[in-house]
């Protein structure tokens, strides 16, 4: 006997929700999923009527579902938002060039304006060229720092009020774990925030409407809605440590589906002891971007690349920032240390 949908009790159930274990038909699942995102948006007051919102779009499942759901909810509940797509081209042949084609199709399908900013035009370096110089161990450090700033710069060019990104519950839980494992207290404190003001995260405020959406449900939603998305992994994706955290979380989820929400909940309720030193926000002496050091991370990484000293931005070399800023030469010993790259 076919199982009936536990919500409408009319149609046949086609799936069991990973989050609640309810058997639902397609329409009731769509409705439940969209309503939960709507609740997230409303209860955290993520947007104000009349705002322009840039949706960080990579062509992957999360941002494609985000763009789709944002458009649906904006119309259904009259949010009054002006939505547009904002993409970053890291310059990764065989990966980003293909996924950007997906974003361009999404632009047509959703009839939203699209802006693409590239590492090459912003920094003079593509990720392909960066990997050639730094190898496959620290490439994601460069990519992550550059992406954060690139999104901000794109958002400022478009004069958007807010950026929303496709981070889902699994991503947030994974980041909580990563920050615990690394002992990164400053990040641990802010990584569960659903929206960030300019504090520490960039210039344009960001939010995560899919913060409580399980990755498995995003995949189901995209699949049943037949959304057009790109599912290949980045060819430079070695980030082994994060991979372990991800596998660990997936193992936990298999035994106890609520593990994801539980980790997020724990992260949200951690409080940082009084007296723990937090970075003080200032601005970068070179590019003017927010930074807690004399130079922002992006400028340090770029300086390292341009000087052929890729290790400059990796690890703690704050001492050298002043020297770089005032264009003083480095000692031979300093140069030697910064040249070493482990592939
Ligand atoms: Fe960039 Fe690393 Fe992500 Fe690839 S896996 S897009 S290199 S951060
Ligand atoms: Zn800078």
């Amino acid at each position: 006997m076919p199982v009936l949908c536990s919500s409408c009790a009319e149609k046949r159930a086609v799936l069991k929700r990973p989050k609640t274990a309810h058997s639902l038909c397609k329409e009731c699942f769509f409705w439940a999923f969209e309503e939960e995102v709507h609740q997230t948006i409303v209860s955290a007051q993520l947007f104000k009527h009349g705002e322009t919102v840039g949706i960080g779009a990579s062509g992957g499942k999360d941002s494609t579902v985000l763009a789709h759901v944002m458009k649906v909810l904006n119309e259904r509940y009259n949010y009054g938002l002006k939505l547009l797509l904002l993409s970053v081209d890291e310059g990764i042949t065989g990966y980003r060039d293909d996924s950007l084609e997906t974003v361009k199709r999404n632009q047509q399908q959703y009839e939203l304006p699209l802006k693409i900013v590239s590492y090459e035009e912003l920094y003079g370096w593509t990720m392909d060229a960066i990997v050639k110089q730094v190898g496959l161990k620290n490439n994601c450090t460069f990519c992550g720092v550059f992406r954060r700033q690139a999104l901000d710069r794109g958002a400022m060019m478009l004069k958007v009020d807010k950026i929303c990104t496709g981070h889902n519950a699994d991503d947030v839980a994974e980041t909580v774990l990563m920050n615990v494992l690394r002992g990164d207290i400053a990040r641990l404190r802010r990584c569960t925030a659903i929206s960030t003001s300019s504090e520490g995260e960039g210039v344009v405020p960001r939010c995560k409407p899919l913060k409580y959406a399980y990755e498995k449900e995003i995949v189901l939603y995209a699949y049943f809605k037949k959304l057009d998305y790109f599912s290949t992994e980045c060819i430079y994706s070695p980030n082994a440590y994060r991979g372990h955290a991800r596998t660990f979380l997936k193992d936990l989820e298999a035994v106890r589906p609520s593990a994801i929400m539980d980790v997020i909940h724990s992260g949200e309720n951690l409080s940082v002891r009084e007296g723990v030193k937090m970075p003080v926000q200032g601005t970068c002496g070179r590019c003017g971007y927010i930074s807690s050091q004399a130079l922002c991370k992006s400028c340090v990484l770029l300086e390292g690349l341009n000087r052929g000293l890729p290790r400059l931005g990796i690890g703690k070399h704050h001492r050298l920032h002043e020297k770089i800023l005032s264009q003083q030469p480095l000692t031979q010993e300093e140069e030697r240390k910064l040249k070493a790259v482990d592939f």
Side-chain angles (χ1 to χ4, degrees):
M1 247 222 9
V3 181
L4 278 186
C5 170
S6 65
S7 180
C8 65
E10 279 171 18
K11 290 194 205 107
R12 244 185 72 188
V14 294
L15 59 92
K16 197 170 195 164
R17 278 194 73 181
K19 199 169 179 179
T20 59
H22 291 153
S23 300
L24 295 180
C25 71
K26 246 197 303 193
E27 282 68 28
C28 287
F29 169 64
F30 293 154
W31 185 261
F33 183 90
E34 290 157 5
E35 281 309 291
E36 282 177 17
V37 179
H38 174 59
Q39 282 314 318
T40 305
I41 291 173
V42 173
S43 54
Q45 299 178 327
L46 295 188
F47 310 110
K48 287 197 202 80
H49 199 93
E51 277 182 335
T52 302
V53 177
I55 303 169
S58 66
K61 60 177 183 350
D62 302 304
S63 60
T64 305
V65 166
L66 178 66
H68 179 86
V69 173
M70 283 297 294
K71 187 169 164 75
V72 166
L73 295 177
N74 193 31
E75 286 162 15
R76 184 184 297 161
Y77 292 106
N78 192 20
Y79 289 167
L81 302 177
K82 184 168 173 261
L83 300 175
L84 40 90
L85 302 173
L86 182 55
S87 293
V88 176
D89 180 0
E90 297 94 343
I92 302 175
T93 314
Y95 167 64
R96 187 54 85 218
D97 42 0
D98 292 343
S99 63
L100 283 175
E101 289 308 310
T102 313
V103 178
K104 287 177 195 159
R105 287 198 303 277
N106 288 162
Q107 172 195 16
Q108 306 287 321
Q109 291 150 359
Y110 303 148
E111 298 172 325
L112 297 175
L114 164 69
K115 166 89 187 159
I116 303 176
V117 283
S118 77
Y119 284 6
E120 188 158 35
E121 80 192 57
L122 291 178
Y123 309 111
W125 287 80
T126 62
M127 272 313 289
D128 286 339
I130 293 174
V131 167
K132 272 204 193 111
Q133 189 182 118
V134 310
L136 277 173
K137 204 161 171 200
N138 293 304
N139 55 308
C140 293
T141 304
F142 286 83
C143 197
V145 170
F146 287 166
R147 181 179 308 107
R148 172 162 302 286
Q149 214 184 78
L151 259 185
D152 258 335
R153 296 219 210 159
M156 287 188 283
M157 286 178 212
L158 292 173
K159 299 194 170 53
V160 312
D161 299 297
K162 258 166 211 156
I163 302 172
C164 62
T165 57
H167 292 99
N168 59 42
D170 299 52
D171 296 327
V172 177
E174 194 181 297
T175 308
V176 171
L177 277 181
M178 284 291 288
N179 289 330
V180 169
L181 295 173
R182 284 187 184 133
D184 192 332
I185 306 301
R187 285 215 174 86
L188 182 59
R189 190 168 76 161
R190 58 175 195 246
C191 73
T192 54
I194 190 160
S195 57
T196 61
S197 54
S198 55
E199 183 210 349
E201 288 289 330
V203 178
V204 182
R206 298 185 182 208
C207 63
K208 305 173 186 139
L210 300 182
K211 181 188 167 188
Y212 297 113
Y214 277 29
E215 181 165 72
K216 281 185 177 164
E217 300 208 343
I218 290 174
V219 174
L220 285 172
Y221 186 90
Y223 172 79
F224 283 114
K225 280 275 183 192
K226 299 192 172 63
L227 299 187
D228 183 3
Y229 70 91
F230 183 80
S231 55
T232 309
E233 275 235 3
C234 171
I235 48 170
Y236 302 139
S237 162
N239 208 328
Y241 204 44
R242 183 170 277 276
H244 289 308
R246 174 166 284 253
T247 311
F248 176 56
L249 198 66
K250 294 271 182 261
D251 289 347
L252 290 177
E253 188 197 7
V255 226
R256 181 176 147 106
S258 69
I260 294 171
M261 288 305 285
D262 296 341
V263 172
I264 296 180
H265 191 67
S266 302
E268 284 172 343
N269 287 289
L270 283 175
S271 55
V272 176
R273 182 162 36 90
E274 288 283 320
V276 171
K277 240 177 95 193
M278 287 296 177
V280 182
Q281 244 14 281
T283 47
C284 170
R286 180 167 292 173
C287 74
Y289 192 74
I290 51 158
S291 170
S292 52
Q293 307 293 334
L295 286 175
C296 75
K297 190 85 179 153
S298 196
C299 281
V300 177
L301 288 170
L302 204 55
E303 180 76 18
L305 286 172
N306 292 335
R307 287 211 199 179
L309 306 169
R311 294 201 69 81
L312 186 63
I314 299 161
K316 304 253 182 273
H317 303 290
H318 299 152
R319 219 172 30 78
L320 300 177
H321 295 182
E322 292 293 344
K323 263 190 156 177
I324 294 164
L325 201 57
S326 54
Q327 313 243 320
Q328 291 171 42
L330 302 179
T331 65
Q332 272 190 347
E333 178 59 12
E334 284 166 346
E335 289 236 358
R336 193 189 57 75
K337 277 199 195 135
L338 296 173
K339 258 189 192 140
V341 185
D342 3 276
F343 281 88

